[in-house]
Every structure is written in C-alpha cells, then in structure tokens.
Amino acid sequence: MNLKKAFSALAICAISGLPVTSHAQAVDTVSPAIRFIDEWGRTTRRMMDGATGYIPAGSSLALGPVASFIGYNTLEGFRLGLGVKTTAGLSRHISIGGYGAYAFGDHRWKYGAEAEWSFRQVDSYYGSYPINALKGVFSYDTEALGASSLSCATSASRFRFSLRRNEMMLYRREGRLEYNLEPSVITAIRISGSRERYYPTRFIGFGPLHTLDAWRLSGQFLWHIGGDMFQTPTRRINLKPYAPTLALRGQWVKGASDADHTDMLIVEACAEKSTPLGSSASTFSVLAHAAVTVGHGAFPFMPSLPSSPYILRRFGSFALLRPLELPSDRYIDLHMRFDDGGYLLGLIPAIKPLGISATASFDAAVGSLSDSNNPSLDSSLPPFPYYPEKSLTWSRPYAEAGIGLDNILGIGRIEYVWRLNYRSNVGARRGGIAIGIDMLF
C-alpha cells in the first residue's frame, strides 16, 4: 500500500469531514486501520449531528447533552459532568432526565433535573412534531452574563468551555415550569414561570445583599417565515435556508425579597435573513436584535448585549465586548456576515475539494442606561461588576469587524476580530480569535 497516498486521503477526510471510503480511489489498498477511522468519523458525526446532543444508550435511555460532558472556565476551572434522559422507548408521554457535574476550580457540584409530559404520543423527545408538552426544571449551576439574550434559533449549542479569562459568571438556582407548543417545524411558542436566585462569586458581589431573588414570567414566539423543513426523529433539515426568521420575547421580573426591589418589564425582538448573491454560492446574512426595559432592577435580571463568554461564538453575538462593559437597559445590535461560498479558496486546486469559504463580518450596537437602573445614582442597586463606583456611558455606537474561514470540517468557523472603538476601556481586548460551530442542540 502507498502510505503517502493513504495518509493524504486521511488528511482530506479529516479536514473535509467526508467518509474515508469516498477517497478510496486515492489509496491502492484501504487498510483495516483506515476503515476503523472512517467508521469512527461517521459515528462521531452522528453523535454530534442533529437537534439532540444526546447519545443513545439502549432502547429507553440516552446520555447527554454531549456539550455538558466537559468544560473549562475562569470560575469553575475544569468541569466534568454526565447526564441521562429517558426516551420514547420507555414512555411515549413522559420523559425524565437529570445531570450532575463537578468543577475542580470552585470545588462545587452543579446539578439539574427535569420532567416532561407530552400531551400526544411521540416517537422521539428530540423534536418529533408537533410538540405540545409541559416541562418542569430544577437546577443549580453557573450562568455567564451576556449569554442568555434572545436568539433567532429555538435552541443553540452552549459548550461550557472558554480559553479566555471571563470572570462575569454567577451561581444560579432555578425552578421553572414551562409549556412548549410547536405545531410545525417553522413556529414555536414557549411560556414559562420561574423562581430564580443568584449567588455571588469570588469575582462578583452584590454589595450588602447576600443573594438576589426574583420571580420571572416569560413568553416567547419564533416564526420561520415561509420556511420549510424535513423532519426526522432526531434531525431537522432546513429546506429553505434563506427564509427570514423572527423571534419575540416578553418578560416580567419581580423581586422576591424585601431587599430586592427589582420590578421590570423586558421586551426583545430578533430578526435574521440570509440572501444568496447572484448565481454563486456566496451569501449575505443579517441579524438584528433589540431590547427595551421598563422599570427598575439589579443587573443579573437586566438584558445584556449578546457577548461570547465561551470559546464558541454564535452568529448574532460580539466576540470582544465583555458582559456589562457597556451597561444598557435598552439597545439595538446589528450583525452582518458575508460568505463567499468557497470562491476565493476554490482558486487553489489543492484546497477546492475541501469546500472552505472565506468570510467577513461586521457587528455594531448602540444603547443607553436609564437613571433608574444606574447603581451610581441608586444605592439600592448592587454595583456593576467591572465598575463598582461608576458606570460607563455610551459616547458612540460600539463596533467590531472580522475576517475568517468557514465550513471547516463541514461545521466549523474561525475568524480574527478587531475592535474598532472603545479600545481604551480598562481591560478591553483589541483583537482576538473567535471560533464557531454551526450546530443546534
């Protein structure tokens, strides 16, 4: 066997994510080792594919979500976890699940449990339509500030892994009851009520308050306008990727203790649209997000500009803006991305088969902070973490831009991002590498 040809084929498959046997013509004899790697690659992609994030473990159980197995961040250090969930093989109406994780940095256990009742018999709890279900959730875990803004996707992968220092995290205990209705794959409604408690960390305190407690009522609607998807028991295939998506969310948050005077109404809207350019495979995508807050409350309950506290960055978030670096209770953010569809790198014969495309992005936001939510003007509010004695004010819109490569291994994206202004802010990152993965869990 020509080992040089064999390893060349393996390299192509490793980069492109295609089966090794599709390049078998480049190899005189496909060895058992190559076949093993091929099957391992297929299995790995099946595990990470689709809308589940769970690994089947028999006919009635599944392990996951995969994204929660291992993580690393500034507050917790390394974190190992394991979760399990019953499937329709055990019951076609009831699903019960839970997870546990231990962090070696803060030496704390995190945990969660959930039970879901489906009002119809289902073949799968991973997106079998129509969805009509009631779910109860109880959890104690960490929450990264800036990671919970409204998204135009029904759910997004959130790997708890961050190589850069991020102290903007809190401990959060939550009990939540939610109702989910998705009569089709293009619409989704979620109504929930929860009781939340935030705990301080070694990085963030609440002034004289030991905890922050609140009740939260939330309603969310998502519409994939004119869209159409092919549904399997574990996967959605978007048949109209250029159809626009609209998401709306309203929340009422009320302090649950005499010391916490939070009482605010939050309204958010998000819209996303991708457009093909000419006859080529290049695309231009736009996402706009806006939030308005009426009332008064502590910073963990306020909306925050979408940042990227973890190593993975989703479209519609900022790569270099730190959570609460520019405190806002009302803002508009705009995100644009161009993908050349592989045209530029396709000019290089050795790279063209890999399908890697060049990308360019631009992200901007403008906002303001009302006096009623400014801790420097109201001593009853806990101070903002970065600036305990004062809060920054907006002097101009914030902006950052980047260039990179997309469709790496079929799902990955890497880009270098520059901060275009506010570069003199204390601790500001003026540039850095951002990574993205186009998968939903």
Side-chain angles (χ1 to χ4, degrees):
M1 179 178 66
N2 189 322
L3 291 179
K4 184 176 181 180
K5 289 184 178 180
F7 281 108
S8 296
L10 286 176
I12 292 174
C13 295
I15 296 174
S16 65
L18 295 175
V20 169
T21 51
S22 65
H23 298 279
Q25 294 83 356
V27 185
D28 296 328
T29 304
V30 180
S31 70
I34 295 178
R35 294 188 181 277
F36 170 79
I37 294 175
D38 179 33
E39 182 58 32
W40 175 83
R42 290 171 181 265
T43 303
T44 303
R45 285 190 292 276
R46 283 199 300 267
M47 288 166 47
M48 300 298 291
D49 194 18
T52 71
Y54 283 85
I55 305 173
S59 60
S60 58
L61 292 176
L63 302 179
V66 175
S68 67
F69 286 174
I70 185 170
Y72 178 84
N73 58 65
T74 306
L75 176 62
E76 297 181 286
F78 277 103
R79 163 182 170 138
L80 296 176
L82 183 64
V84 64
K85 184 176 183 178
T86 63
T87 68
L90 183 66
S91 170
R92 299 183 67 181
H93 282 287
I94 300 175
S95 175
I96 300 173
Y99 74 91
Y102 183 77
F104 297 91
D106 60 4
H107 305 289
R108 294 195 185 199
W109 283 95
K110 317 301 187 308
Y111 50 84
E114 66 176 51
E116 179 178 336
W117 168 264
S118 174
F119 292 96
R120 57 176 291 271
Q121 289 189 349
V122 298
D123 298 321
S124 168
Y125 286 100
Y126 304 136
S128 178
Y129 290 90
I131 294 176
N132 186 5
L134 187 66
K135 179 190 292 186
V137 178
F138 179 78
S139 64
Y140 172 74
D141 214 321
T142 58
E143 180 176 286
L145 300 177
S148 58
S149 60
L150 179 65
S151 170
C152 288
T154 53
S155 61
S157 60
R158 185 175 296 180
F159 288 77
R160 296 179 178 274
F161 204 98
S162 179
L163 295 180
R164 57 173 175 256
R165 186 171 182 83
N166 176 38
E167 301 173 350
M168 296 295 99
M169 302 182 72
L170 294 171
Y171 298 114
R172 180 173 182 256
R173 190 184 305 275
E174 178 192 30
R176 183 177 77 254
L177 183 65
E178 70 178 36
Y179 172 68
N180 291 286
L181 177 63
E182 296 191 38
S184 68
V185 296
I186 61 174
T187 58
I189 298 173
R190 177 177 298 169
I191 301 172
S192 66
S194 63
R195 171 67 185 269
E196 305 170 1
R197 171 173 290 179
Y198 285 95
Y199 299 86
T201 68
R202 64 182 185 272
F203 302 119
I204 301 177
F206 301 148
L209 303 178
H210 298 290
T211 61
L212 294 173
D213 299 75
W215 295 94
R216 185 189 300 264
L217 294 177
S218 176
Q220 181 172 327
F221 172 74
L222 184 141
W223 183 20
H224 192 56
I225 304 171
D228 190 14
M229 295 190 186
F230 175 73
Q231 177 66 37
T232 72
T234 61
R235 187 181 183 191
R236 303 178 188 181
I237 301 175
N238 192 352
L239 301 179
K240 295 184 178 180
Y242 301 121
T245 302
L246 174 67
L248 301 171
R249 180 170 65 183
Q251 301 178 85
W252 177 58
V253 185
K254 175 67 175 178
S257 66
D258 295 336
D260 188 348
H261 304 291
T262 295
D263 189 356
M264 58 173 58
L265 176 67
I266 306 169
V267 179
E268 294 177 86
C270 177
E272 180 179 4
K273 178 71 170 73
S274 295
T275 303
L277 301 179
S279 59
S280 67
S282 61
T283 58
F284 180 72
S285 302
V286 178
L287 186 150
H289 172 248
V292 176
T293 304
V294 178
H296 169 87
F299 69 84
F301 304 115
M302 287 172 48
S304 177
L305 284 168
S307 60
S308 300
Y310 302 114
I311 189 172
L312 297 181
R313 179 197 184 194
R314 62 179 172 87
F315 179 53
S317 64
F318 293 94
L320 302 177
L321 184 68
R322 299 168 298 169
L324 293 177
E325 181 180 343
L326 294 172
S328 319
D329 55 12
R330 57 194 67 189
Y331 57 83
I332 298 175
D333 51 291
L334 178 67
H335 310 268
M336 296 181 288
R337 185 172 69 194
F338 169 75
D339 187 314
D340 78 341
Y343 173 78
L344 183 62
L345 294 177
L347 299 176
I348 306 174
I351 298 180
K352 184 176 181 178
L354 306 181
I356 298 175
S357 58
T359 65
S361 64
F362 177 79
D363 306 89
V366 61
S368 64
L369 179 67
S370 60
D371 292 346
S372 61
N373 290 313
N374 191 335
S376 64
L377 302 177
D378 188 340
S379 59
S380 67
L381 294 173
F384 290 131
Y386 275 122
Y387 310 98
E389 297 179 357
K390 66 177 182 179
S391 62
L392 286 181
T393 57
W394 288 78
S395 59
R396 57 195 180 281
Y398 172 84
E400 57 186 46
I403 57 173
L405 302 176
D406 202 352
N407 201 39
I408 303 172
L409 296 176
I411 58 173
R413 180 174 63 257
I414 184 169
E415 59 184 332
Y416 190 87
V417 184
W418 292 268
R419 176 185 287 231
L420 302 181
N421 53 14
Y422 291 98
R423 295 167 60 88
S424 61
N425 283 3
V426 177
R429 288 181 295 148
R430 299 184 177 186
I433 295 175
I435 300 173
I437 292 184
D438 294 325
M439 292 188 298
L440 292 180
F441 293 100

